[in-house]
Amino acid sequence: MSADSNPMALYEQLRAQGDAVREIKAQKGNKADVDAAVQLLLKMKADYKQLTGQDYQAGRPPTDAVMNDEDHDDGDDQVDPWNVSTSSAKGVDYDKLIVRFGSNKIDQELVDRIARVTGKTPHRFLRRGIFFSHRDMHQILDAYEKQKSFYLYTGRGPSSEAMHVGHLIPFIFTKWLQDVFDVPLVIQMTDDEKYLWKDLSLEDCHRYAVENARDIIACGFDLDKTFIFSDLEYMGASPSFYRNVVKVQKHVTFNQVKGIFGFTDSDCIGKISFPAIQAAPSFSNSFPQIFGDRNDVQCLIPCAIDQDPYFRMTRDVAPRIGYLKPALLHSTFFPALQGAQTKMSASDANSSIFLTDTPKQIKNKVNKHAFSGGKDTVEEHRKLGGNPDVDVSFMYLTFFLEDDEQLEKIRQDYRSGALLTGELKKCLIETLQPMIAAHQERRKLVSDETVRQFMTPRKLRFNC
């Protein structure tokens, strides 16, 4: 089977072969050449059906439900933009997810290359596989080495005033990317999406967008290189942005979004059209105040892997409307305190450490709710050791403890039984309390005027 049994790669090859058949026919090629090209196309379609369980349809890339038969089991993971769950205490099987989504693993070779190109130590999220998957990152680095710049795009769906620590992951990493590559960044606040999906008023959704922007700004982004925008405000004020939304909408059918996102006939039409709005920031001419009318500045999107269906759709549409495909860097999910079977939820206060929590609340939540990989008694734990792979306190330290050697010592001590669960939780508490306190202090300094400046369309510092 072609394309190394990768559904997306095989889909791309099929599309290219379809173009080749049409070209041969248009050029009135001889019958033997036409027949050979058609037979190859039919074989590739059969391979695609065998691999994905779906008939190939032009313009409809394989959905996130696609996987090989051997990947279907009772412990199957559910991953889409609105739901993440697994039956495994270790969390989602990300190697399987790479196969399902047709992306590429971030291997040590790529991490080393990023270090060479930037001249900086790779971020701990790269070193530890927290950002684990990519699309076209080598292409971004190839262009960057030739002094051709790019821009960053990430986002936030504002569903409440308070963000939790899991929401910080893409922003912490995006800030590092902005700093080491010295590139502009656009941050989309999808307040329109939250209005469509949640039982919230339009006014509340926009207010949450502004409040969440304060937390994002407190991560330390450079005002001269960062534009934060609310969909409810920017799309109505930017003809260029809206034109790209319409271009995407024209090239994606209802059947396609149903296949990709699982929409049903009872979903409102706003949901069905929304994916085009999340796609539009992937194209540089959606921001004429930054890039003018240029559509040749490539976009790099750091995001959690559950957002990938939006951008698989975007990457399929982009060349058909004359634009570059965005590149992506995918992160793992930040687990709930109760365990890695789900990601944190802003609607469950006890599943999350919020950025508004006091030191006492942080301590109580970790001690009371953080799922333990330890044994039932001290004696048994000392003898048999704990399991850091399922212990939420250790998982959180993997995200936030900078020192690799210290983290590895904690892992070994916990596994050997030398470190007890209570001691491991204490390590996490002592890591989170100052980190969140420092964030709260930075947030206090974010004035209404500062938010206004970040959210005002304007020229950013951009060298290309």
Side-chain angles (χ1 to χ4, degrees), residues 126 128 164 251 272 444:
L126 284 172
R128 297 171 188 169
H164 58 60
H251 287 80
I272 295 155
K444 289 177 184 176

Side-chain angles (χ1 to χ4, degrees), residues 330-461:
H330 300 125
S331 74
T332 60
F333 302 116
F334 195 84
L337 282 169
Q338 287 79 3
Q341 284 87 347
T342 60
K343 63 178 182 178
M344 276 189 172
S345 169
S347 60
D348 181 355
N350 290 324
S351 76
S352 313
I353 302 293
F354 282 88
L355 301 181
T356 53
D357 283 347
T358 65
K360 183 177 180 181
Q361 287 174 316
I362 294 167
K363 180 179 179 181
N364 290 341
K365 284 184 179 182
V366 171
N367 283 331
K368 186 175 181 180
H369 298 292
F371 183 81
S372 169
K375 299 297 184 287
D376 292 336
T377 67
V378 171
E379 293 74 16
E380 188 182 6
H381 186 91
R382 293 290 191 203
K383 180 180 179 182
L384 300 175
N387 183 356
D389 295 335
V390 301
D391 192 290
V392 166
S393 293
F394 184 79
M395 292 179 187
Y396 281 24
L397 286 172
T398 302
F399 281 87
F400 296 121
L401 189 65
E402 177 62 35
D403 191 314
D404 290 341
E405 291 184 5
Q406 184 183 358
L407 183 69
E408 183 56 30
K409 185 176 189 309
I410 290 171
R411 180 200 299 273
Q412 292 176 4
D413 287 351
Y414 193 61
R415 196 178 288 282
S416 72
L419 187 71
L420 298 174
T421 295
E423 294 168 333
L424 176 57
K425 288 186 174 185
K426 185 171 183 287
C427 290
L428 175 61
I429 291 164
E430 291 174 348
T431 300
L432 288 178
Q433 285 176 333
M435 183 190 86
I436 292 176
H439 180 89
Q440 290 169 353
E441 289 302 310
R442 292 193 301 270
R443 192 185 193 281
K444 289 177 184 176
L445 300 176
V446 180
S447 65
D448 291 346
E449 174 60 20
T450 301
V451 175
R452 188 195 66 76
Q453 289 176 327
F454 270 92
M455 298 187 77
T456 298
R458 65 202 186 283
K459 183 75 174 174
L460 300 182
R461 192 167 77 244

Side-chain angles (χ1 to χ4, degrees), residues 155-226:
R156 163 82 185 123
S159 58
S160 65
E161 285 191 16
M163 290 168 58
H164 58 60
V165 288
H167 293 142
L168 288 181
I169 302 308
F171 297 110
I172 290 171
F173 188 61
T174 299
K175 181 188 182 304
W176 181 81
L177 290 170
Q178 183 184 66
D179 290 345
V180 299
F181 286 103
D182 189 27
V183 291
L185 160 68
V186 296
I187 300 175
Q188 181 182 41
M189 308 298 286
T190 55
D191 39 12
D192 52 346
E193 176 202 19
K194 292 307 172 186
Y195 174 69
L196 294 168
W197 263 267
K198 302 278 188 179
D199 185 20
L200 297 168
S201 71
L202 210 55
E203 292 72 24
D204 279 346
C205 291
H206 183 61
R207 179 167 56 84
Y208 296 157
V210 174
E211 288 304 308
N212 287 185
R214 295 182 192 277
D215 280 305
I216 294 168
I217 293 166
C219 292
F221 290 106
D222 186 336
L223 176 63
D224 292 335
K225 293 186 289 184
T226 306

Side-chain angles (χ1 to χ4, degrees), residues 274-373:
F274 174 75
I277 298 173
Q278 188 156 323
S282 306
F283 310 128
S284 55
N285 62 355
S286 291
F287 305 98
Q289 71 276 14
I290 304 172
F291 305 107
D293 60 359
R294 291 181 59 180
N295 62 9
D296 64 340
V297 184
Q298 192 165 12
C299 176
L300 174 62
I301 306 170
C303 63
I305 187 72
D306 60 340
Q307 297 301 299
D308 188 67
Y310 283 110
F311 301 114
R312 290 207 302 279
M313 181 201 78
T314 306
R315 285 168 55 85
D316 180 68
V317 170
R320 290 188 280 137
I321 58 178
Y323 295 154
L324 299 173
K325 294 182 180 182
L328 288 101
L329 293 169
H330 300 125
S331 74
T332 60
F333 302 116
F334 195 84
L337 282 169
Q338 287 79 3
Q341 284 87 347
T342 60
K343 63 178 182 178
M344 276 189 172
S345 169
S347 60
D348 181 355
N350 290 324
S351 76
S352 313
I353 302 293
F354 282 88
L355 301 181
T356 53
D357 283 347
T358 65
K360 183 177 180 181
Q361 287 174 316
I362 294 167
K363 180 179 179 181
N364 290 341
K365 284 184 179 182
V366 171
N367 283 331
K368 186 175 181 180
H369 298 292
F371 183 81
S372 169

